[in-house]
Amino acid sequence: MSGMLIIDFERSGGFAGIPVKATFSDQVLNEDELNDLRHLIENSDFLLLKNSDNPDRLSPDQFLYKISVVTTVYSHSVSLYEQEITPGLRPLIRLLLDIARRSKH
Amino acid sequence: MHIYNPCLHCFTPPHLLERIIQAGSPEQKIRAFKVLTTSAAMRGRRQSMFRIRSPFYVTAEPGKKRFVYDADNGSDLPGKVVRREGDAPAGDPAADEAYEGAGATYDLFMKYYNRDSVDGKGMELNSTVHYQQGYDNAFWNGEQMVYGDGDEDLPQEERLFNRFTIAEDVIAHELTHGITQYEAKLAYWEQSGALNESFSDVFGSLVKQWRLNQTASQADWLIGEGIFTSNVKGKAIRSMKEPGTAYDDPLMGKDPQPAHMKDYLNTSADNGGVHINSGIPNRAFYLTAIEIGGFAWEKAGKIWYICLRDKLREKSGFRDAANLTWAVAGNLYGKNSNEQKAVQNGWEGVGIKITGSQGFWGRLINCFRFRCLVCL
């Protein structure tokens, strides 16, 4: 797999209220990270996810995630509350957080 | 009696499962609840789903009933029970901190505000520790408290967050979200959401002060002290005394909390800045407590508690909170009492003028605010 991949990732909310924001692209990610991300995006049915439209679903201090993915063939953005994260999406978020945390250091 | 019975997964009738939810042990209740909700969902019995109440909502006799669960770094809640009410320490710092913190919060609310648990009716206090991996957060999910271990999965030199049970005020903060859910039901966005956060910080700090036997002037008024590792330049997550000064770190950024209405942040992030603008009512409480003096949980805390329990509503904003705490102070300690003046000065110290809840001008201002068609 190859081609352009740009991901905007943001996690807000949480007890601390300290946001995590990062933008990744195929220009800066290494080959393993790129492969893992492409694989997880595909396996998480990311393109089928829709924005959360019910703010009442946010429990106090839980996280809100915003993820945008742009490739040469599609572009998709989604905002989800923490309890809406499906088991299939969790590994993708986990990897995005890991890369974001590593990129801070 | 052991709840685990293969029959539960196929043949146990719903009425028996509901009976177990009412009267079984915590583990039995949870298993029965899972079976009942799963089977109801599979059959498309929506009505049945609404009728089933989570075992956590079962209230029986009054009194402190704590249960601590271990998610074993997974996402399934509540996890496996590791400590029940009256048990000896589990030997796991996170589990024992969750147990002790829930107990201290229960005790403060019972002793000083005559409140029996989160729902006021003896609801079980359920906490889950070791939630997920690298989970730097704690939250109230509507039924229970959940705590992560921070950055335990990172090398020591890269860790920013410790486990969230390490700070007792975090535990009290989360439990207070539960109380707000049962009382004022403050909507979790913009000003009502910032009030929701602020009330949790207020009682989080009061539990800490009570445990340390500190007067208002002796307290540090920090929220989440100890959550940051030594790799972060910060003393805590928030400061009620000096919002905006809790941390200033190259990686984490600077504490964004305003201390005054002139710095109120209009934002769509963080549900309209609920963890940011809460600095304003936080400081109003601090100023009030300092002016009243003594132990903050006795008078200032009581005013705020009664306001949360009886006065505030879902869409209340900062000015409503100011007027209503002022009114409660007048009811409790007398009109123009030192306590009522302290409340007024506290809110005015953050740029919110008391307009009164009954006076003509107060009503007129509210008419303008809410575009009341009868009056305008």
Side-chain angles (χ1 to χ4, degrees):
Chain A
M1 288 187 288
S2 62
M4 182 182 76
L5 176 66
I6 300 172
I7 300 176
D8 273 321
F9 174 72
E10 179 180 347
R11 187 188 75 180
S12 65
F15 174 86
I18 299 172
V20 175
K21 292 180 186 177
T23 299
F24 319 112
S25 80
D26 53 292
Q27 302 296 307
V28 295
L29 295 167
N30 65 43
E31 196 64 29
D32 286 344
E33 289 172 337
L34 269 174
N35 288 337
D36 288 346
L37 282 172
R38 289 185 205 278
H39 175 74
L40 289 172
I41 289 167
E42 194 174 321
N43 284 4
S44 63
D45 290 329
F46 175 75
L47 289 174
L48 300 178
L49 295 173
K50 293 179 178 174
N51 281 336
S52 172
D53 55 2
N54 183 4
D56 290 343
R57 296 192 66 176
L58 180 65
S59 297
D61 295 327
Q62 287 200 295
F63 291 124
L64 172 64
Y65 294 94
K66 292 183 181 178
I67 307 169
S68 298
V69 176
V70 178
T71 72
T72 46
V73 292
Y74 68 82
S75 168
H76 186 60
S77 299
V78 68
S79 295
L80 293 168
Y81 293 119
E82 188 167 358
Q83 68 267 42
E84 297 172 316
I85 303 299
T86 60
L89 187 61
R90 205 164 280 138
L92 173 62
I93 287 181
R94 173 81 188 157
L95 181 57
L96 290 170
L97 271 173
D98 283 348
I99 298 173
R101 287 197 297 183
R102 281 203 301 272
S103 69
K104 278 186 163 186
H105 289 276
Chain B
M1 184 172 77
H2 295 285
I3 184 68
Y4 186 72
N5 180 339
C7 290
L8 283 180
H9 294 285
C10 46
F11 297 121
T12 308
H15 71 269
L16 186 54
L17 293 168
E18 288 175 12
R19 171 85 179 145
I20 294 169
I21 288 173
Q22 290 292 326
S25 72
E27 283 175 87
Q28 291 169 332
K29 289 174 181 178
I30 289 155
R31 285 179 185 275
F33 182 71
K34 280 182 178 173
V35 173
L36 199 50
T37 50
T38 303
S39 58
M42 286 170 66
R43 293 174 203 143
R45 291 169 52 202
R46 291 179 62 87
Q47 278 304 113
S48 170
M49 289 290 286
F50 282 117
R51 191 162 50 84
I52 300 165
R53 299 177 73 208
S54 158
F56 289 162
Y57 285 112
V58 173
T59 54
E61 67 279 6
K64 191 162 46 181
K65 296 181 282 289
R66 289 167 288 179
F67 296 89
V68 182
Y69 300 81
D70 186 342
D72 197 22
N73 298 118
S75 301
D76 289 338
L77 293 174
K80 180 185 170 190
V81 168
V82 291
R83 190 172 175 187
R84 300 173 174 82
E85 186 64 45
D87 281 356
D92 171 357
D96 292 329
E97 287 161 356
Y99 182 89
E100 294 300 329
T105 308
Y106 178 95
D107 290 344
L108 177 85
F109 276 96
M110 176 54 98
K111 184 171 183 180
Y112 291 96
Y113 314 131
N114 196 31
R115 183 180 189 85
D116 185 7
S117 192
V118 166
D119 63 351
K121 297 174 186 171
M123 178 179 165
E124 290 171 2
L125 300 176
N126 295 289
S127 312
T128 294
V129 297
H130 305 307
Y131 181 70
Q132 298 189 353
Q133 276 189 315
Y135 190 75
D136 42 10
N137 197 20
F139 65 89
W140 167 260
N141 77 346
E143 297 184 4
Q144 67 159 107
M145 295 148 286
V146 183
Y147 304 100
D149 289 333
D151 297 325
E152 89 288 353
D153 57 332
L154 290 178
Q156 194 81 41
E157 65 277 11
E158 292 182 14
R159 291 180 191 171
L160 305 174
F161 292 96
N162 286 312
R163 64 179 183 274
F164 273 65
T165 51
I166 208 166
E168 197 165 54
D169 50 1
V170 173
I171 295 167
H173 173 110
E174 297 308 332
L175 270 168
T176 306
H177 277 309
I179 293 171
T180 299
Q181 175 184 312
Y182 278 88
E183 300 294 354
K185 303 176 175 62
L186 288 160
Y188 203 63
W189 61 81
E190 296 182 342
Q191 286 200 13
S192 55
L195 283 174
N196 194 324
E197 275 302 313
S198 176
F199 274 85
S200 279
D201 278 352
V202 163
F203 292 103
S205 182
L206 292 183
V207 167
K208 177 180 168 183
Q209 291 174 35
W210 178 57
R211 292 271 273 185
L212 296 172
N213 198 36
Q214 291 177 327
T215 63
S217 58
Q218 291 169 332
D220 62 19
W221 295 93
L222 295 172
I223 299 295
E225 186 184 22
I227 295 288
F228 286 138
T229 67
S230 57
N231 297 324
V232 177
K233 290 180 181 172
K235 50 195 174 188
I237 304 288
R238 290 182 280 276
S239 168
M240 297 180 69
K241 179 179 178 180
E242 299 173 296
T245 66
Y247 61 90
D248 189 357
D249 179 80
L251 286 177
M252 309 293 284
K254 188 180 183 307
D255 176 1
Q257 284 210 309
H260 193 279
M261 279 304 284
K262 65 181 167 54
D263 299 315
Y264 183 93
L265 186 68
N266 285 301
T267 175
S268 60
D270 187 30
N271 286 282
V274 298
H275 292 93
I276 298 171
N277 293 314
S278 57
I280 294 168
N282 275 0
R283 180 161 163 81
F285 180 82
Y286 161 78
L287 292 172
T288 301
I290 287 291
E291 184 168 330
I292 291 175
F295 293 123
W297 59 85
E298 290 182 345
K299 289 185 174 176
K302 189 170 187 180
I303 294 166
W304 254 244
Y305 171 68
I306 289 175
C307 189
L308 180 69
R309 189 190 64 188
D310 299 339
K311 304 292 184 185
L312 290 167
R313 293 292 174 263
E314 185 181 355
K315 294 182 179 174
S316 297
F318 290 179
R319 190 180 297 279
D320 301 313
N323 285 328
L324 292 168
T325 49
W326 180 81
V328 169
N331 290 340
L332 285 176
Y333 302 108
K335 201 171 179 183
N336 295 321
S337 60
N338 289 338
E339 290 81 0
Q340 192 179 38
K341 288 175 189 166
V343 171
Q344 181 166 349
N345 292 336
W347 287 105
E348 289 185 358
V350 298
I352 297 173
K353 196 163 179 60
I354 301 290
T355 54
S357 56
Q358 300 298 323
F360 171 77
W361 290 108
R363 286 203 305 273
L364 188 63
I365 287 170
N366 278 334
C367 288
F368 275 106
R369 281 184 66 220
F370 298 114
R371 296 181 176 83
C372 172
L373 298 176
V374 175
C375 304
L376 297 178

